[in-house]
Amino acid sequence: MKFKITLAILCCATFSFANEALIKKAKDSGLKAIPANKSELMKLIDTDPKDPITDAKVELGKKLYFDPRLSRSNLISCNTCHNLALGGADGVPAAIGHGWTANPFHLNSPTVYNSVFFKAQFWDGRSPHLADQAAGPIQAGPEMAAPPALVEQRINSIPAYVEEFKNAYGKDTKVDFKIITETIATFEKTLVTPSRFDDFLNGDSKALTKAEQDGLNLFLSKGCTACHTGIALGGTMQPFQIANQYKFISVGGFKGDENGMVKTPTLRNITQTAPYFHNGQFWSLSDAIKEMGSVQLGIKINDAEASKIITFLKTLDGRMPDFVYPQLPASTEETAKPTFD
């Protein structure tokens, strides 16, 4: 009996040591956890001392995020393409916007969850700022197609909105396009989804099962962290088609930035954000993993290996923020009417 107890203790100690070694390996490979401590998390997301995150700004930003009146047609909100009930994406290969127009480059809508951790916004990485990301689709013809002046007119024509801006920013606040998009970005900064993977990296060696740890180890060993690294496991600009040509490169004709660099998608909540790649051509996560092995790493990942990696990726399904769909303030007679041209 004593021998069995001793053996069990030794097995547990060995397993714990192996877990700790894997945590170190993951961190050494560039993976970082979302901080478990709220104050540490706020240090990462609340970085502008001139515009600190407050409950009033977050609540106002949430209303604006869900408000379709920020689009020309009064039909499209930020949540249309970045649906918070669908992993922060829209579940279609190419974003659909004003006039039922598909994105001209057949670009897929990236998730908005954890976008505060991205080093680059947009597939071509043209801005690092969330407010710019919010401003772009609102104005873009194939998306929300609303000029800044129209957005400003609509918001300022609604007294309840004007009052909320004064409460959030001060009584002398001018409600212009800049502060509107910055407020949306403030809400988006709070869309953080810590997961069991973070628990594991933060020191809970039992947060992942043996199979999940094996998947993580394989993910690291295959070299996936060459692109999928940091807190977001993505969100940085990386060269595309390093080893082989992407199977569907001709769909949409997107070439990346001027240097052929493309923003690496986050792997957080990846099981919820199909279809995959910038042009949404892969619906199978297993096939997407195998394609990445070929295109970026120049290696063959077989079905069994892809399955093990997926077992790990499922641990990145995070704990979603809990919020209530907002009741939006009513329009007035002065609020600009929708147009559909």
Side-chain angles (χ1 to χ4, degrees):
M1 185 69 174
K2 183 177 180 181
F3 173 76
K4 289 183 179 180
I5 294 173
T6 303
L7 183 60
I9 293 172
L10 286 173
C11 287
C12 289
T14 302
F15 185 64
S16 178
F17 179 78
N19 292 359
E20 292 174 3
L22 182 57
I23 291 172
K24 183 178 186 303
K25 181 178 179 180
K27 290 182 177 180
D28 289 346
S29 297
L31 298 183
K32 297 179 181 179
I34 294 174
N37 182 279
K38 185 177 180 180
S39 63
E40 290 301 313
L41 174 60
M42 291 304 294
K43 289 178 183 179
L44 292 178
I45 67 174
D46 194 7
T47 56
D48 186 353
K50 296 181 180 179
D51 185 22
I53 296 174
T54 65
D55 290 344
K57 292 176 187 176
V58 171
E59 184 61 26
L60 177 55
K62 179 175 70 173
K63 290 182 178 180
L64 295 167
Y65 184 91
F66 281 97
D67 199 329
R69 290 170 296 187
L70 269 62
S71 69
R72 182 186 296 187
S73 65
N74 275 15
L75 293 173
I76 303 170
S77 71
C78 300
N79 192 63
T80 302
C81 290
H82 304 285
N83 193 316
L84 299 184
L86 291 172
D90 54 17
V92 295
I96 304 296
H98 186 74
W100 207 243
T101 304
N103 184 280
F105 290 104
H106 208 277
L107 292 177
N108 179 256
S109 299
T111 179
V112 70
Y113 281 117
N114 304 295
S115 55
V116 67
F117 301 125
F118 299 171
K119 302 299 183 183
Q121 305 294 336
F122 302 101
W123 282 108
D124 62 2
R126 61 184 179 272
S127 176
H129 303 297
L130 270 177
D132 287 346
Q133 195 286 320
I138 292 175
Q139 301 175 78
E143 298 185 61
M144 296 169 74
L150 175 62
V151 175
E152 292 173 355
Q153 191 282 331
R154 284 187 177 156
I155 297 301
N156 281 285
S157 74
I158 301 172
Y161 261 144
V162 175
E163 187 63 25
E164 282 199 59
F165 271 100
K166 289 181 179 180
N167 289 338
Y169 291 97
K171 63 180 182 179
D172 297 325
T173 299
K174 179 183 178 182
V175 183
D176 57 16
F177 188 68
K178 182 175 182 290
I179 200 170
I180 291 169
T181 55
E182 286 177 345
T183 306
I184 294 172
T186 298
F187 167 64
E188 291 176 336
K189 289 177 181 179
T190 68
L191 300 177
V192 175
T193 66
S195 68
R196 288 190 297 115
F197 168 73
D198 299 291
D199 299 338
F200 182 70
L201 229 56
N202 281 324
D204 182 357
S205 61
K206 297 180 181 179
L208 303 188
T209 66
K210 176 65 165 56
E212 290 165 345
Q213 291 183 47
D214 288 345
L216 170 57
N217 196 37
L218 185 60
F219 177 86
L220 299 173
S221 300
K222 290 292 185 182
C224 301
T225 53
C227 295
H228 295 285
T229 189
I231 293 181
L233 288 87
T236 60
M237 298 300 291
Q238 300 291 341
F240 189 52
Q241 304 182 111
I242 295 174
N244 289 296
Q245 187 177 68
Y246 169 50
K247 185 177 180 180
F248 297 106
I249 192 61
S250 63
V251 177
F254 177 69
K255 306 295 185 184
D257 68 8
E258 65 274 12
N259 298 313
M261 307 277 275
V262 176
K263 188 187 78 172
T264 304
T266 178
L267 294 181
R268 290 186 177 274
N269 306 302
I270 191 69
T271 65
Q272 304 173 40
T273 57
Y276 305 112
F277 289 88
H278 65 275
N279 53 12
Q281 291 303 291
F282 279 86
W283 288 89
S284 163
L285 184 52
S286 177
D287 288 346
I289 290 169
K290 289 184 284 186
E291 181 73 2
M292 274 286 88
S294 171
V295 170
Q296 293 297 93
L297 301 172
I299 61 175
K300 179 177 176 58
I301 296 177
N302 61 39
D303 290 340
E305 291 172 328
S307 179
K308 288 181 179 180
I309 292 173
I310 290 173
T311 297
F312 156 63
L313 293 178
K314 288 178 179 179
T315 72
L316 295 169
D317 284 347
R319 298 181 283 274
M320 298 299 188
D322 185 20
F323 52 79
V324 177
Y325 193 99
Q327 180 64 46
L328 304 179
S331 299
T332 66
E333 292 183 4
E334 288 73 35
T335 305
K337 304 303 184 288
T339 57
F340 306 95
D341 56 317

